Amino acid sequence: DQQVKQNSPSLSVQEGRISILNCDYTNSMFDYFLWYKKYPAEGPTFLISISSIKDKNEDGRFTVFLNKSAKHLSLHIVPSQPGDSAVYFCAASEGGANNLFFGTGTRLTVIP
Amino acid sequence: DSGVTQTPKHLITATGQRVTLRCSPRSGDLSVYWYQQSLDQGLQFLIQYYNGEERAKGNILERFSAQQFPDLHSELNLSSLELGDSALYFCASSVGRVLNTEAFFGQGTRLTVV
């Protein structure tokens, strides 16, 4: 049973516009959420995270929003750049746990 | 470069065979995690070792086993291979025993079972 879901397998955005990647989760015990970016032939690279005590975390062009009541988080990239083209994975963990639960990923293509 | 090294990068083998995947964690990291990514799937947690001891198990098949050595490198052994075992196998490492922060991933080993 997939506890973290990314329902959009792909997303295309024009350069300079906003990219919004969505993620839903089912386990209310998750208290830490992360986004990873993955280029072809490379391992996932940590991008940004958010604790469940916050509803927003910003790092440069990347902002993650968390809506606990909806069990939903989103990653906003503004402005989008061609180098952002990659697969983005949402991940979640439960306090004290030793595991990250990953979504299936969303392939972002930023069109120049 | 994440600092996590996985070898080999690619592996092609026949059904029924056994293979060993190797992972060297980042310097100073005591935890090693193994993940499997099958086609169109997210990364599925297999197993974690912390400082040489098994710490947590996920969806790891009985045909698979792992260990972490005194120098903290880890090996994932896959035996009696089946076609469905074809996947990307990632190793990740982190400092602590609890994964409450980001883990650093290797480039992965692509296993193809024919």
Side-chain angles (χ1 to χ4, degrees):
Chain A
D1 182 30
Q2 196 76 16
Q3 297 189 52
V4 178
K5 299 178 184 179
Q6 294 177 257
N7 293 318
S8 297
S10 63
L11 174 69
S12 290
V13 171
Q14 287 290 134
E15 181 179 3
R17 305 293 291 269
I18 183 171
S19 295
I20 300 176
L21 296 94
N22 294 303
C23 177
D24 298 293
Y25 61 96
T26 58
N27 186 346
S28 57
M29 299 301 291
F30 286 149
D31 60 1
Y32 196 70
F33 304 88
L34 307 91
W35 285 93
Y36 280 83
K37 179 167 72 172
K38 184 182 179 304
Y39 292 118
E42 294 184 13
T45 303
F46 170 74
L47 188 58
I48 192 169
S49 64
I50 189 168
S51 164
S52 61
I53 62 173
K54 295 185 175 182
D55 55 20
K56 176 182 173 181
N57 188 28
E58 195 170 350
D59 183 2
R61 297 185 297 114
F62 302 91
T63 303
V64 56
F65 295 92
L66 176 62
N67 183 333
K68 289 188 290 294
S69 60
K71 294 193 181 69
H72 177 84
L73 65 156
S74 61
L75 174 67
H76 293 209
I77 306 173
V78 184
S80 300
Q81 299 174 353
D84 296 330
S85 297
V87 176
Y88 289 78
F89 289 98
C90 168
S93 71
E94 185 179 331
N98 307 93
N99 177 19
L100 284 175
F101 292 88
F102 281 84
T104 51
T106 297
R107 182 178 301 278
L108 173 67
T109 302
V110 179
I111 303 164
Chain B
D1 182 6
S2 67
V4 179
T5 304
Q6 288 188 249
T7 57
K9 285 190 172 53
H10 303 276
L11 199 48
I12 301 176
T13 190
T15 54
Q17 295 298 304
R18 172 189 167 96
V19 298
T20 297
L21 314 183
R22 183 188 168 103
C23 169
S24 294
R26 287 190 323 155
S27 176
D29 285 357
L30 299 179
S31 276
V32 170
Y33 309 79
W34 287 97
Y35 283 84
Q36 178 193 55
Q37 185 187 14
S38 301
L39 190 64
D40 294 332
Q41 296 292 313
L43 284 76
Q44 301 292 322
F45 172 66
L46 296 178
I47 197 164
Q48 179 208 4
Y49 277 82
Y50 175 78
N51 204 20
E53 295 190 2
E54 183 184 303
R55 173 87 178 150
K57 255 185 178 178
N59 300 321
I60 188 165
L61 300 172
E62 286 191 12
R63 299 183 286 108
F64 296 1
S65 65
Q67 54 185 326
Q68 187 179 29
F69 295 86
D71 66 353
L72 300 178
H73 91 271
S74 177
E75 292 182 355
L76 179 67
N77 301 297
L78 316 176
S79 61
S80 303
L81 284 168
E82 302 175 359
L83 296 177
D85 297 327
S86 296
L88 265 171
Y89 291 85
F90 287 104
C91 164
S93 73
S94 68
V95 172
R97 63 170 66 89
V98 173
L99 192 55
N100 59 1
T101 182
E102 64 271 22
F104 293 85
F105 283 80
Q107 290 183 309
T109 294
R110 181 173 293 282
L111 173 66
T112 303
V113 182
V114 298

